[in-house]
Amino acid sequence: MFETKKTGQSQTPTNRISTVNYLWLVPVFRYDTVLFKVVDVNGYGMMPTLRENDVVLVQRYNNIKRFDLVAFKYGNDIQVRRVIGLPGEQIRYENDHLFVKDEPIDEKFIVDEINESQRNGRDFTENFPSAEGKIVKIPKDYYFILGDNRPYATDSRIYGVVSKDSIIGIVKMQLFPINEWKSF
């Protein structure tokens, strides 16, 4: 048996081998490939889903759907945000509700944040466009993206829609920190 220094608990050879095998994969993931790219999350715009310095695996060349997390180029940076509006759609937010073609769409991934903001007398997502009755029409080959941390995220509300050519791919997995490993 192998002894760990911190807890004194035994570690079986099988567990040790699994850990060693996993750690061997980490450097391999740090390189770009034709199908995948590893991206570091910058900023707090995707909290609580992702945080600053989380590392995600992005699959290139994928069919983008509503609510997918995408990595895209913005200037010299790579950002991760959530797709809210698809090419050709008309969207608006009103009183924390997303409307696509005047139909309400649930955003289950931020329901707790919406409820907390409303308990405090605020909207989690500001109404937009700001003029009542207006809508955002998304052009062909463009996407409307928002951060999950709506009150603080820099996203399509600030810099406009994102072109298909700027999108690197869809975030498929959070790799680091290891104890929060998850797939999307």
Side-chain angles (χ1 to χ4, degrees):
M1 297 285 237
F2 300 94
E3 294 288 315
T4 58
K5 289 184 180 181
K6 278 189 174 178
T7 63
Q9 295 175 337
S10 296
Q11 189 178 43
T12 65
T14 305
N15 289 344
R16 184 168 182 241
I17 290 169
S18 297
T19 303
V20 170
N21 285 339
Y22 173 75
L23 291 175
W24 174 82
L25 289 174
V26 172
V28 172
F29 278 134
R30 295 308 299 179
Y31 297 102
D32 289 345
T33 68
V34 174
L35 298 176
F36 295 98
K37 180 173 181 66
V38 174
V39 172
D40 295 325
V41 175
N42 297 310
Y44 301 96
M46 284 304 296
M47 285 181 59
T49 308
L50 295 169
R51 294 183 308 271
E52 171 96 26
N53 297 322
D54 285 356
V55 178
V56 295
L57 182 66
V58 176
Q59 183 179 5
R60 299 177 190 261
Y61 312 111
N62 216 327
N63 185 23
I64 299 170
K65 299 182 289 295
R66 182 179 336 281
F67 302 141
D68 280 345
L69 299 182
V70 294
F72 63 98
K73 295 176 195 166
Y74 179 64
N76 293 329
D77 296 327
I78 295 176
Q79 292 193 1
V80 175
R81 296 291 186 265
R82 191 176 298 273
V83 173
I84 300 300
L86 303 172
E89 289 184 337
Q90 298 176 2
I91 65 167
R92 66 184 164 88
Y93 266 88
E94 197 171 298
N95 301 320
D96 266 337
H97 295 289
L98 167 64
F99 292 89
V100 177
K101 300 176 190 171
D102 284 326
E103 296 293 323
I105 305 288
D106 286 335
E107 295 181 285
K108 294 179 172 119
F109 51 91
I110 56 170
V111 72
D112 292 338
E113 289 77 12
I114 290 171
N115 290 336
E116 179 68 24
S117 285
Q118 289 177 347
R119 277 193 294 275
N120 293 322
R122 297 186 307 265
D123 283 339
F124 187 66
T125 305
E126 294 176 359
N127 291 347
F128 70 83
S130 56
E132 278 191 42
K134 297 273 185 167
I135 57 171
V136 173
K137 171 88 164 127
I138 304 167
K140 180 182 180 198
D141 295 329
Y142 285 82
Y143 295 86
F144 192 89
I145 54 144
L146 294 177
D148 286 359
N149 191 5
R150 302 287 167 78
Y152 303 101
T154 303
D155 48 37
S156 284
R157 296 171 294 174
I158 305 297
Y159 46 69
V161 292
V162 174
S163 75
K164 182 179 181 178
D165 294 338
S166 297
I167 296 176
I168 297 165
I170 297 172
V171 175
K172 291 297 186 177
M173 182 178 292
Q174 178 180 345
L175 299 174
F176 296 100
I178 293 172
N179 63 332
E180 295 178 16
W181 213 26
K182 59 187 167 191
S183 61
F184 298 102

